[in-house]
Amino acid sequence: MLVSNVEIIPGKQIAEHLGLVHGSTVQAKHIGSDFMAGIKNIFGGELKGYTELLETSRAEAMDRMLKEAKALGANAVVNVRFSTSSIAAGAAEILVYGSAVVLEDSARG
């Protein structure tokens, strides 16, 4: 399945628009990550525990969005966007959304 953050794919045309699809997940921080983040705030450097948490969360949200698109019969999701928001102290939501479409080769090639 093709996933893109642009609306138009060169050489393709949208044959059918199947609607908005999305995937999300809410993840809480691990106490060990918080401890290490506190130390990093003193000495500086990447907060690897948080980076890994966000990467895992983005992958899970993307997987959920793609499952929804596949269930609708899409072969692509275009205009994909990510959003992050704080849900509660120590928990954040990752949301990914886009337009599920059926792409076909353009008549102009």
Side-chain angles (χ1 to χ4, degrees):
M1 178 162 316
L2 184 116
V3 178
S4 178
N5 64 341
V6 297
E7 297 177 33
I8 299 169
I9 307 298
K12 303 284 185 183
Q13 65 183 19
I14 296 174
E16 190 175 356
H17 182 264
L18 302 172
L20 178 72
V21 288
H22 73 281
S24 69
T25 183
V26 176
Q27 300 282 329
K29 297 181 290 188
H30 184 275
I31 192 165
S33 298
D34 277 348
F35 177 74
M36 292 306 293
I39 292 174
K40 290 285 185 172
N41 281 334
I42 296 169
F43 299 106
E46 181 181 7
L47 303 175
K48 292 184 179 179
Y50 289 168
T51 299
E52 291 171 7
L53 177 63
L54 288 173
E55 286 178 6
T56 301
S57 298
R58 278 191 293 269
E60 181 64 34
M62 178 73 85
D63 185 56
R64 291 176 180 175
M65 180 188 73
L66 294 176
K67 284 181 181 172
E68 185 178 346
K70 190 174 184 177
L72 292 173
N75 66 1
V77 181
V78 296
N79 206 20
V80 172
R81 302 288 185 260
F82 285 90
S83 174
T84 303
S85 60
S86 178
I87 299 297
E93 177 190 34
I94 299 285
L95 170 68
V96 59
Y97 59 96
S99 296
V101 297
V102 175
L103 289 179
E104 63 184 23
D105 290 333
S106 174
R108 292 187 288 173

